[in-house]
């Protein structure tokens, strides 16, 4: 299976029906599982035998989709969560406790910034933000013996900066900590971070993986490559008293991190998806490769059109040759730069809002990565509380529009933009 190309894996990895079984992944809508003896169930509770005990921790429908996503990323195991936020939270908490800290790139999803800067801080975890222009020495000055990881996004939402994964992975490894990357916008179809030294990948499956705006979900994938015994990770290398002294690195080898995330954190936090949601996610995944190709091709054409129109002040899209991120995109995203574009309409806030309100095909929604084209005006929605001056400091101008280019015919998308520009 692992030799198949990624477009084949999108369809064939995970669920493998045997003779006479349903062709399509069944929805195991069951909270619990039946066993012939209490003794066997006891072994499951001690993690001595594999198997499902309770759907908060695992379920056959989840297992098939976890295997599929793990195969897509090239990992040793994955764990689905009820949302992308839960995936980011658990990826950090799995190896970080109160009094410790992590390093995070500052150009990441706004929801992750809130989680890191406000909520993790409240529980005693210090997140030290670094900008892409900082040197290794400047970042190292913020790292100490309590630093647990470096975190970044492959293509940052909404800044659209491309992460130099080899650089940050090397930096993390020099300090014996893992590199963790949110690969939501690229998906494994456009970039597989493990190939560049990244150790753990997270996803909001709500975005392109589902792709149809139907279910909120998340996922953590473990590369199995990080050597936990080299660093200082006692939670993985010494006995877990809540499982009669299981040592994750000894009992689960390369899958130590992802096993601990499931049997300890998912057990305790319960951020579990539902079997129906996971079935819908699997449905989305079957066409992921096709959709990412089309999202990327459409977005490049739309970005080129916007760049050539004099009613547009500026365009950000890593696929454009003129873009500041183009060199990094050529290295990390040779198959395409995904579907999201940011651009500024001349005339500031009023022009941007008039433009968006005039769009007919593109819908105004709080979402990206849908198969249908959608738009958002950050200055009047997600960043509404900021003044125009604060917006500029955050890199979001009052006239900035975030466009998530769908998989419709690109001529229709461009025609919609043209007619809306004429109404400004
Ligand atoms: C949306 C998003 C998240 C959060 O995911 P939810 O599924 O909405 O909880 C995390 N990271 C990125 C890059 C996102 O776009």
């Amino acid at each position: 299976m692992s030799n198949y190309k990624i477009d084949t894996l999108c369809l064939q990895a995970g669920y493998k029906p045997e003779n006479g079984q349903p062709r399509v992944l069944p929805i195991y809508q069951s909270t619990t599982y039946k066993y012939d003896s209490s003794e066997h169930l006891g072994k499951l509770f001690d993690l001595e035998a594999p198997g499902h005990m309770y759907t908060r921790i695992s379920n056959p429908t989840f297992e098939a989709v976890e295997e599929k996503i793990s195969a897509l990323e090239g990992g040793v195991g994955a764990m689905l969560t009820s949302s992308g936020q839960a995936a980011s939270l658990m990826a950090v908490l799995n190896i970080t406790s109160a009094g410790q800290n992590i390093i995070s790139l500052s150009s990441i999803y706004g929801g992750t910034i809130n989680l890191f800067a406000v909520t993790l801080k409240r529980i005693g975890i210090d997140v030290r933000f670094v900008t892409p222009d900082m040197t290794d020495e400047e970042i190292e000055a913020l790292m100490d013996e309590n630093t647990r990881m470096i975190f970044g996004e492959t293509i940052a939402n909404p800044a659209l900066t491309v992460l130099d994964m080899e650089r940050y992975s090397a930096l993390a490894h020099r300090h014996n900590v893992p590199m963790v990357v949110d690969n939501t916008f690229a998906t494994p179809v456009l970039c597989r971070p493990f190939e560049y030294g990244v150790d753990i990948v997270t996803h909001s499956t709500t975005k392109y993986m589902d792709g149809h705006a139907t279910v909120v979900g998340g996922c953590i994938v473990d590369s199995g490559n990080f050597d936990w015994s080299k660093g200082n990770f006692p939670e993985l290398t010494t006995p877990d008293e809540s499982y009669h002294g299981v040592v994750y690195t000894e009992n689960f080898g390369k899958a130590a991190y992802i096993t601990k995330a499931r049997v300890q954190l998912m057990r305790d936090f319960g951020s579990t998806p539902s079997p129906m949601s996971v079935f819908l996610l699997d449905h989305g995944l079957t066409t992921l490769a096709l959709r990412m190709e089309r999202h990327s091709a459409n977005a490049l054409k739309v970005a080129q059109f916007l760049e050539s129109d004099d009613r547009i002040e500026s365009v950000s899209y890593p696929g454009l040759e003129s873009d500041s991120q183009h060199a990094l995109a050529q290295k990390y995203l040779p198959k395409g730069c995904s579907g999201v574009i940011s651009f500024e309409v001349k005339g500031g806030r009023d022009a941007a809002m008039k433009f968006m309100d005039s769009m007919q095909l593109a819908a105004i929604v709080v979402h990206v990565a849908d198969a249908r084209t959608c738009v958002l005006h950050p200055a009047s929605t997600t960043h509404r509380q900021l003044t125009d001056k604060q917006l500029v400091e955050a890199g979001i101008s009052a006239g900035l529009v975030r466009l998530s280019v769908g998989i419709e015919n690109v001529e229709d998308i461009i025609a919609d933009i043209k007619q809306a520009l004429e109404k400004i």
Side-chain angles (χ1 to χ4, degrees):
M1 183 62 72
S2 57
N3 289 334
Y4 285 133
K5 305 266 188 300
I6 198 136
D7 13 14
T8 306
L9 292 174
C10 284
L11 292 123
Q12 302 285 350
Y15 177 60
K16 287 171 209 77
E18 283 164 21
N19 189 36
Q21 290 188 331
R23 180 65 195 95
V24 174
L25 172 66
I27 305 168
Y28 286 93
Q29 194 68 58
S30 180
T31 58
T32 189
Y33 308 91
K34 176 200 167 279
Y35 290 98
D36 289 342
S37 73
S38 314
E39 196 201 335
H40 187 125
L41 194 52
K43 284 197 172 129
L44 288 182
F45 270 90
D46 276 350
L47 306 180
E48 281 172 13
H52 303 287
M53 44 184 161
Y54 189 53
T55 287
R56 172 158 25 86
I57 298 165
S58 68
N59 171 290
T61 305
F62 306 174
E63 190 175 33
V65 179
E66 286 163 346
E67 261 177 46
K68 180 182 279 191
I69 296 176
S70 183
L72 292 174
E73 288 286 8
V76 294
M79 179 179 80
L80 292 172
T81 58
S82 54
S83 68
Q85 287 298 98
S88 307
L89 174 67
M90 287 207 234
V92 174
L93 290 192
N94 202 27
I95 50 170
T96 314
S97 308
Q100 298 181 321
N101 66 78
I102 69 167
I103 300 286
S104 173
L105 271 290
S106 57
S107 54
I108 53 172
Y109 174 63
T112 313
I113 293 186
N114 285 336
L115 168 66
F116 284 2
V118 180
T119 302
L120 286 188
K121 192 173 176 183
R122 282 187 55 215
I123 59 173
I125 293 172
D126 182 24
V127 181
R128 300 171 180 177
F129 289 99
V130 298
T131 51
D133 57 357
M134 281 170 74
T135 63
D136 282 9
E137 291 69 32
E138 287 172 310
I139 297 171
E140 283 175 315
L142 297 172
M143 298 176 78
D144 55 34
E145 72 282 0
N146 288 318
T147 301
R148 310 300 280 170
M149 64 172 65
I150 301 180
F151 183 96
E153 267 172 40
T154 312
I155 307 173
N157 173 12
L160 303 183
T161 47
V162 179
L163 188 70
D164 191 347
M165 285 182 243
E166 280 183 355
R167 177 190 159 200
Y168 294 108
S169 298
L171 180 58
H173 295 163
R174 279 207 295 283
H175 292 262
N176 293 321
V177 296
M179 181 69 202
V180 182
V181 166
D182 179 335
N183 197 31
T184 297
F185 266 28
T187 83
V189 171
L190 300 178
C191 179
R192 304 206 321 159
F194 297 158
E195 291 171 3
Y196 303 103
V198 170
D199 304 289
I200 307 292
V201 155
T202 63
H203 281 281
S204 165
T205 60
T206 316
K207 312 295 165 51
Y208 289 109
M209 282 195 170
D210 166 26
H212 301 77
T214 52
V215 284
V216 172
C219 190
I220 305 176
V221 193
D222 186 350
S223 70
N225 293 333
F226 192 78
D227 184 355
W228 303 101
S229 60
K230 255 173 93 188
N232 180 26
F233 293 94
E235 56 274 83
L236 287 160
T237 58
T238 63
D240 178 352
E241 296 314 327
S242 70
Y243 280 111
H244 299 299
V246 157
V247 177
Y248 293 103
T249 45
E250 281 173 19
N251 291 58
F252 302 102
K254 281 183 173 298
Y257 174 96
I258 201 71
T259 305
K260 176 180 176 294
R262 176 187 305 286
V263 300
Q264 194 188 66
L265 294 194
M266 192 58 97
R267 176 196 65 189
D268 296 351
F269 294 152
S271 312
T272 312
S274 80
M276 180 68 192
S277 300
V278 172
F279 170 81
L280 289 169
L281 167 61
D282 189 51
H283 227 56
L285 286 169
T286 57
T287 57
L288 182 67
L290 266 182
R291 286 185 287 105
M292 292 319 290
E293 224 172 81
R294 180 71 170 254
H295 278 295
S296 300
N298 278 2
L300 181 60
K301 284 187 193 140
V302 171
Q304 285 165 341
F305 162 76
L306 290 168
E307 194 175 38
S308 70
D309 194 290
D310 23 286
R311 289 164 293 191
I312 304 296
E313 183 75 43
S314 67
V315 187
S316 277
Y317 183 67
L320 286 176
E321 273 174 39
S322 59
D323 196 86
S324 65
Q325 305 297 303
H326 190 62
L328 284 169
Q330 280 185 306
K331 174 167 180 183
Y332 293 109
L333 300 158
K335 290 160 82 179
C337 293
S338 199
V340 180
I341 302 174
S342 297
F343 61 95
E344 275 178 289
V345 181
K346 280 184 186 158
R349 179 187 292 259
D350 292 344
M353 290 179 74
K354 187 86 211 300
F355 166 76
M356 287 183 48
D357 292 349
S358 307
M359 292 194 92
Q360 288 166 3
L361 184 88
I364 301 175
V365 297
V366 183
H367 189 53
V368 288
D370 187 359
R372 288 152 288 220
T373 297
C374 49
V375 276
L376 181 80
H377 182 225
S380 66
T381 56
T382 49
H383 295 71
R384 189 181 181 85
Q385 66 281 19
L386 306 191
T387 62
D388 282 6
K389 183 170 170 284
Q390 285 174 317
L391 284 171
V392 173
E393 282 164 7
I396 295 162
S397 74
L400 191 82
V401 175
R402 189 182 69 179
L403 179 69
S404 172
V405 180
I407 60 173
E408 299 95 342
N409 186 300
V410 71
E411 288 172 26
D412 291 332
I413 301 170
I414 292 174
D416 190 35
I417 296 171
K418 274 187 186 158
Q419 66 81 25
L421 283 173
E422 271 149 31
K423 304 224 169 76
I424 294 176

